[in-house]
Amino acid sequence: MPEPKLNRETWGSWFEFVFSCIGSMVGLGNVWRFPYICFKNGGGAFLIPYFIFMFAMAMPLMFMEFSIAQYSSLGPGRLFLCCPLFKGIGYGMILMCVISASYYSTVISWTLFYFGNSFLSPLPWTSCNNTWNTQDCYMRSFSEEETMNSTVIFSNITQFHNGSVHVEAYTSSEEFWENRVLGLTSSINNIGILRWELVLCSLGTWTVVILALIKGIKSSGKFMLFASTLPYVFLLILLIRGLLLPGALDGIKYFFIPRWADLKKFSVWSDAAVQVFYSSSLGIGELLTLSSHNRFKNNCQRDAMILPFVDAFTSIFAGCVIFSTLGYTAAASNLDIDMVVKQGPGIAFVVYPDALATLPFPQIWSGLFFLLLFMIGTNSLVVVVQVIGGCMFDTFPNLSASKRTLVTMSICLLGFLTTLIYTTQGGMYVLQLVDWYLSSIPRMFIMLLESIVIIYIYGVRRLSKDIEMMLGKQPSKIWKFFWLFVTPPLLTIIWVIMVIQLKTIKYGEIPYPSWSITCGWILGMVPIFVILPPMIYTMWKQRGSFIQRLRKSVQPSYSWKAVVPNDFELQSAISK
């Protein structure tokens, strides 16, 4: 029985698509991961391997995903009809989106919690006389003269007394983060109770997502056009303010001055490759979903060349913002800058708020910073929900507009309910465990398998003809060279390195029990294992010998075609 023809919505304008992609690619990692990774791996020298991998990996893979999704007007749930044997790849992508949406929304709720507390005076993370503080709390001095002559302790600095006894000292911002925001328990064995303030912040986050998607891409496109532009305004304001501070230029120099000797380290190149991959939103179905709403003749080659540069520019821009303020903090505290830099959430929820608190009118700057984080995080979450919803709409294309709205609201409600485990006192341990095992090995493996299927099985020749129908000309030999000989082998090498280098998970110095590590591995393997049942079923329903079944299973399905409404000439060319 023929499948129903898709009634695919298209973007209102090219800018809506581009800024939706920017919202997907530019996330919290641009603010708290890239600056630290760049700083740790040779400063400005790190940009050399970063841009090499951007050209060799991000651009070819992005062009590939844009092209095949735009040609078919299908999201990841049905896109792999181009090779039915591997249609489970799309299910793996969607499953990763479902799991990641729940814990990513929790991270966004933290920014909303901080944003609300930014209006208090004094800022609650600047003192040690609160109910959540301990006797080991170290309070920063905020007067300019005292700050310039004091030493600030940032993270688990051990103070030795009489050569034997030591006390763990924590800044007030650290204790606010772990005791007030997270209410952190001793380990994952003790989940504790729900943090109702975080539950309400999570509810607020999902409400914003519902409002952004209430009318499908008609509303999400306009939301992303606004919400992806405003963070650049905020970044510019924070950068200008940072540059006016003493020591700011030293911080930026420390961020940019290349340490050429570091290029000899293998870790620098592997970190650059991994950073490019994750920052480009590859392998999770987001770019496939967004591109599937493009008009058939959209120049996806141009988009694939522009967007990685926008992402790189944003990361470097955010790095300047962060390091200009950290440079001031280091100078004011008489510390080397590497003493005030942390990776991951620590730079966003501990170090940078601590630095902003030393400025005049700190409520303004803190509120602006956390509103920035909330917006860029929400942008990414909106796209993740679009991937999940797009799968439902591809499966049931005849859903009315009202029912589609109901489906979107149901997805957001379920997403909110799944965040409850992360809003408990031990939720941070669960969140780190899920992220550790889900976002690395399975995601890279699915991207590798996707590239192999499209490039080697569906074939570069078919893909090139599809692109020719859309753009009027075939892609250049350079694209084909990278697709065939560079990008998939490169992905294979990176994935093997990630498997080898995967370390035992810890939260700080707190080890995870063996049962939780087992659960982490099982969860991480689920997106990979869901690929197998569709493969078995596809082979089983074919007829003939094993080889005949295999050949039929890798041929595009009868329903695989370009969807080009109201274009008689193009439809005629495709039918031929």
Side-chain angles (χ1 to χ4, degrees):
M1 180 178 178
E3 297 183 17
K5 185 177 180 179
L6 293 177
N7 183 21
R8 197 73 165 179
E9 294 179 297
T10 56
W11 297 106
S13 69
W14 175 75
F15 289 101
E16 291 183 6
F17 165 68
V18 168
F19 279 97
S20 294
C21 289
I22 291 173
S24 169
M25 297 167 66
V26 175
L28 297 171
N30 294 76
V31 176
W32 73 41
R33 176 175 168 81
F34 180 87
Y36 176 80
I37 293 294
C38 185
F39 156 79
K40 185 188 79 169
N41 289 290
F46 175 78
L47 297 179
I48 293 177
Y50 180 86
F51 279 105
I52 288 176
F53 287 118
M54 188 182 78
F55 282 107
M57 184 170 61
M59 285 187 178
L61 289 174
M62 198 174 294
F63 187 23
M64 179 194 75
E65 288 201 336
F66 281 166
S67 300
I68 199 158
Q70 181 175 302
Y71 173 82
S72 62
S73 290
L74 295 174
R78 296 183 71 245
L79 182 137
F80 290 93
L81 290 173
C82 66
C83 184
L85 184 66
F86 291 96
K87 59 185 176 183
I89 294 176
Y91 303 151
M93 290 179 174
I94 294 163
L95 183 58
M96 285 195 295
C97 284
V98 170
I99 300 173
S100 63
S102 61
Y103 73 79
Y104 193 72
S105 66
T106 305
V107 178
I108 301 170
S109 69
W110 297 340
T111 69
L112 195 58
F113 184 89
Y114 269 88
F115 177 72
N117 279 271
S118 295
F119 294 97
L120 301 179
S121 182
L123 292 172
W125 53 84
T126 60
S127 63
C128 285
N129 57 353
N130 305 289
T131 57
W132 59 83
N133 292 125
T134 68
Q135 61 181 358
D136 299 324
C137 178
Y138 183 94
M139 187 174 67
R140 176 193 290 278
S141 176
F142 290 101
S143 67
E144 186 173 351
E145 291 183 1
E146 291 176 345
T147 301
M148 290 297 292
N149 294 307
S150 65
T151 300
V152 181
I153 301 179
F154 278 90
S155 176
N156 296 353
I157 300 177
T158 302
Q159 296 178 323
F160 290 91
H161 302 281
N162 300 323
S164 59
V165 181
H166 67 275
V167 178
E168 295 291 344
Y170 299 88
T171 59
S172 55
S173 58
E174 277 188 305
E175 293 208 342
F176 178 82
W177 164 240
E178 292 201 347
N179 301 339
R180 176 71 179 94
V181 180
L182 302 178
L184 200 63
T185 57
S186 58
S187 74
I188 196 173
N189 289 317
N190 181 12
I191 290 297
I193 61 175
L194 285 173
R195 303 279 295 156
W196 288 105
E197 291 163 309
L198 291 183
V199 172
L200 292 176
C201 288
S202 179
L203 181 62
T205 299
W206 283 103
T207 301
V208 173
V209 174
I210 290 175
L211 294 175
L213 294 169
I214 197 72
K215 293 184 178 179
I217 67 167
K218 300 299 181 184
S219 59
S220 72
K222 293 177 175 56
F223 172 82
M224 298 296 279
L225 191 60
F226 167 77
S228 296
T229 305
L230 202 57
Y232 289 95
V233 178
F234 292 166
L235 282 172
L236 182 60
I237 294 172
L238 289 170
L239 178 61
I240 293 173
R241 182 65 186 95
L243 290 174
L244 297 176
L245 299 171
L249 291 179
D250 292 333
I252 292 179
K253 286 180 182 178
Y254 208 85
F255 177 57
F256 274 115
I257 291 177
R259 300 189 297 276
W260 300 113
D262 286 358
L263 291 179
K264 299 177 182 178
K265 299 177 182 178
F266 180 78
S267 60
V268 173
W269 292 82
S270 62
D271 282 353
V274 171
Q275 176 63 28
V276 167
F277 175 79
Y278 288 117
S279 188
S280 301
S281 292
L282 295 165
I284 200 170
E286 295 179 3
L287 299 182
L288 291 172
T289 299
L290 296 175
S291 185
S292 68
H293 293 285
N294 271 333
R295 300 181 188 278
F296 191 78
K297 293 186 178 181
N298 175 66
N299 191 343
C300 51
Q301 177 179 249
R302 170 201 57 201
D303 301 339
M305 297 177 69
I306 291 175
L307 288 168
F309 277 106
V310 174
D311 181 53
F313 166 77
T314 307
S315 297
I316 295 170
F317 191 15
C320 292
V321 173
I322 296 296
F323 272 82
S324 63
T325 307
L326 295 185
Y328 156 72
T329 305
S333 308
N334 293 320
L335 291 172
D336 292 333
I337 197 168
D338 55 359
M339 291 290 292
V340 301
V341 179
K342 294 182 70 175
Q343 64 175 317
I347 199 170
F349 296 111
V350 177
V351 177
Y352 200 72
D354 223 357
L356 292 175
T358 65
L359 303 179
F361 308 108
Q363 288 78 11
I364 295 175
W365 307 114
S366 296
L368 195 64
F369 176 68
F370 287 111
L371 183 58
L372 161 71
L373 294 185
F374 177 76
M375 292 190 69
I376 62 177
T378 304
N379 292 345
S380 299
L381 183 59
V382 166
V383 178
V384 172
V385 175
Q386 279 183 296
V387 175
I388 303 169
C391 172
M392 297 294 294
F393 304 147
D394 283 348
T395 305
F396 306 103
N398 294 323
L399 285 174
S400 63
S402 60
K403 290 183 179 178
R404 290 190 174 213
T405 300
L406 183 62
V407 168
T408 300
M409 294 178 68
S410 300
I411 291 171
C412 291
L413 177 60
L414 290 174
F416 165 70
L417 293 176
T418 58
T419 64
L420 295 180
I421 184 64
Y422 303 111
T423 57
T424 60
Q425 292 175 298
M428 182 62 177
Y429 299 114
V430 182
L431 188 150
Q432 187 184 44
L433 181 75
V434 174
D435 181 62
W436 187 273
Y437 289 101
L438 183 76
S439 65
S440 55
I441 293 177
R443 180 174 171 182
M444 183 74 75
F445 177 82
I446 286 178
M447 181 71 253
L448 172 60
L449 191 58
E450 177 194 358
S451 65
I452 291 173
V453 169
I454 295 176
I455 292 170
Y456 298 126
I457 300 179
Y458 182 72
V460 168
R461 180 176 297 179
R462 277 200 189 105
L463 182 62
S464 298
K465 288 182 178 179
D466 297 344
I467 294 171
E468 184 179 14
M469 290 179 189
M470 294 185 292
L471 306 186
K473 60 179 180 180
Q474 288 209 1
S476 69
K477 293 180 180 180
I478 296 176
W479 289 112
K480 297 177 184 179
F481 173 78
F482 276 102
W483 283 331
L484 288 168
F485 305 112
V486 178
T487 306
L490 193 59
L491 278 174
T492 304
I493 294 171
I494 297 170
W495 185 76
V496 170
I497 292 171
M498 291 180 68
V499 173
I500 295 173
Q501 292 185 343
L502 188 66
K503 300 176 182 178
T504 302
I505 184 173
K506 291 182 179 181
Y507 181 82
E509 296 301 320
I510 302 174
Y512 277 71
S514 57
W515 68 264
S516 64
I517 295 175
T518 302
C519 291
W521 274 110
I522 293 173
L523 182 65
M525 292 299 104
V526 168
I528 296 177
F529 290 150
V530 298
I531 299 174
L532 297 178
M535 293 181 69
I536 297 171
Y537 176 74
T538 301
M539 288 285 289
W540 175 77
K541 72 177 184 178
Q542 301 294 343
R543 296 180 179 179
S545 65
F546 177 82
I547 298 299
Q548 290 172 330
R549 291 171 182 242
L550 183 62
R551 287 176 178 173
K552 292 176 182 177
S553 297
V554 297
Q555 293 299 314
S557 169
Y558 66 86
S559 57
W560 172 258
K561 60 182 178 180
V563 180
V564 198
N566 304 322
D567 194 332
F568 178 77
E569 292 182 4
L570 199 51
Q571 288 282 15
S572 299
I574 293 170
S575 64
K576 293 178 182 179

